[in-house]
Amino acid sequence: MQSSITMEAWLRQRKPKVKGSSLKTYKSYEQAHILPFMGSVPLIEITAKKQRKFKKWLRKSLARKTVRDILAYLHSILREAEKKGIKVCVQTPKIKVYPKEKKVPGYGEHKALSAALQKSQAPQDMGILLAMSTGLRLGEVLGLRLKDIDFETNVLHVRRNRQRVCNPKTGKHSVVLQSPKTRASRRDIPIHTELKAALIRYLDTQGKNDPKRPQIAAPSGRAYDARTLQRRFDQIKAHMGLNPRITVHSLRHSFVTRALELGADMRAVSGFLGHSSIAFTLNCYSHCVTGYKRQQMALIAKSF
């Protein structure tokens, strides 16, 4: 009976309508956290008290943001059950997340890294250069095709992303090319002179003109996996003596930091990142805005 269905049984029968990349994340939440704690518990017995205990259990080993995301997913599971007529408690506990300052390359390190990557013709290095020069997510870099770059107008068209996703039928994870999650993520980004020159040199060495070919690809024409670029970046970090905590995604934060340091307009930066609003950009990158705020205060100070 539905009234006595357990969490495990409910998760087996539900079919969430989300992209494969999100499904991969949700399945990991289920297997690592939700099922071990409450898999055998009937949904109607997952009380507010039970959920508070779950939150406390999660906090023993996970960061606040991860706990928040898992609790939000649990809430969606219970809400879905409620809509199906099952009497469940949807009062999922909240947890406050405090923004942490992300480790990014300093100005000098950023310049040195960019210079080194511009001299390289390796596809992985061009992928990293694109990420730090445009603020693109790694999946968006890997989703770029030759036809997505227009050298006449100097514009990069972001229309796809390439990610490892979960196949709900097989449970296996494979790399697929898919459309962006939101309308804002589908965007056009101007490319500056130095990046254009590096791209032209790089594409000249590839000797391929199939417009649907991935820009960042192996000699066989097959797109690289995100892990390949991450491993390559680990090598570069070690060689240049960069902080080990800096990741490929940190370069997106570095892009924002450098842009604001140099006085770029926040609305434009938000558009480059593919965000739906400036408020969202400020919320995600508040740690990058400190220098920008100092510049604005310096301007205000001139009136005193």
Side-chain angles (χ1 to χ4, degrees), residues 20 35 73 80 116 129-130 146 180 201 218 229 237 260 277 290:
L35 289 175
Y73 179 52
E80 185 180 322
L129 179 65
L130 277 165
L146 294 182
R201 289 194 300 271
L229 266 68
K237 283 190 299 183
L260 296 179
S277 69
T290 303

Side-chain angles (χ1 to χ4, degrees), residues 40-52:
S40 60
V41 180
L43 292 180
I44 60 174
E45 293 182 18
I46 301 177
T47 61
K49 183 178 181 180
K50 182 75 173 178
Q51 293 183 52
R52 288 195 297 271

Side-chain angles (χ1 to χ4, degrees), residues 13-30:
Q13 73 174 41
R14 68 190 291 266
K15 296 178 181 179
K17 297 179 180 179
V18 296
K19 282 184 172 290
S21 54
S22 297
L23 185 60
K24 174 176 176 285
T25 301
Y26 294 157
K27 288 296 181 183
S28 69
Y29 291 165
E30 293 173 12

Side-chain angles (χ1 to χ4, degrees), residues 111-125:
K111 292 280 288 184
L113 177 60
S114 177
L117 293 172
Q118 287 181 51
K119 294 176 183 178
S120 174
Q121 302 301 315
Q124 303 99 313
D125 293 355

Side-chain angles (χ1 to χ4, degrees), residues 81-95:
E82 183 183 50
K83 290 177 181 179
K84 295 293 184 180
I86 303 175
K87 292 184 178 181
V88 295
C89 175
V90 294
Q91 296 177 356
T92 309
K94 307 295 183 183
I95 183 168

Side-chain angles (χ1 to χ4, degrees), residues 44-169:
I44 60 174
E45 293 182 18
I46 301 177
T47 61
K49 183 178 181 180
K50 182 75 173 178
Q51 293 183 52
R52 288 195 297 271
K53 287 184 177 180
F54 180 51
K55 171 187 171 181
K56 187 175 181 180
W57 182 70
L58 292 173
R59 281 292 295 134
K60 291 179 180 179
S61 59
L62 300 175
R64 284 178 171 268
K65 182 181 181 303
T66 306
V67 174
R68 182 197 64 185
D69 293 344
I70 294 172
L71 292 175
Y73 179 52
L74 174 63
H75 180 76
S76 68
I77 293 171
L78 297 174
R79 285 284 294 175
E80 185 180 322
E82 183 183 50
K83 290 177 181 179
K84 295 293 184 180
I86 303 175
K87 292 184 178 181
V88 295
C89 175
V90 294
Q91 296 177 356
T92 309
K94 307 295 183 183
I95 183 168
K96 191 167 184 178
V97 177
Y98 304 97
K100 290 184 178 180
E101 184 171 351
K102 302 294 191 299
K103 188 63 182 178
V104 301
Y107 183 83
E109 293 175 323
H110 187 102
K111 292 280 288 184
L113 177 60
S114 177
L117 293 172
Q118 287 181 51
K119 294 176 183 178
S120 174
Q121 302 301 315
Q124 303 99 313
D125 293 355
M126 177 52 62
I128 297 168
L129 179 65
L130 277 165
M132 71 179 299
S133 300
T134 61
L136 288 179
R137 303 173 180 90
L138 184 52
E140 293 171 335
V141 169
L142 296 173
L144 291 172
R145 300 157 296 180
L146 294 182
K147 70 176 185 178
D148 291 328
I149 183 169
D150 187 338
F151 285 119
E152 291 186 8
T153 59
N154 297 329
V155 169
L156 203 62
H157 303 292
V158 184
R159 298 293 183 268
R160 298 285 188 277
N161 65 59
R162 194 178 300 273
Q163 292 194 19
R164 187 172 294 277
V165 303
C166 176
N167 185 323
K169 294 182 179 179

Side-chain angles (χ1 to χ4, degrees), residues 133 145 189 222 226 248 294:
S133 300
R145 300 157 296 180
I189 300 178
R222 184 176 180 179
V248 176
R294 289 198 185 101

Side-chain angles (χ1 to χ4, degrees), residues 257-272:
T257 302
R258 303 287 88 82
L260 296 179
E261 283 176 348
L262 297 171
D265 177 72
M266 177 60 77
R267 187 177 297 277
V269 173
S270 182
F272 295 154

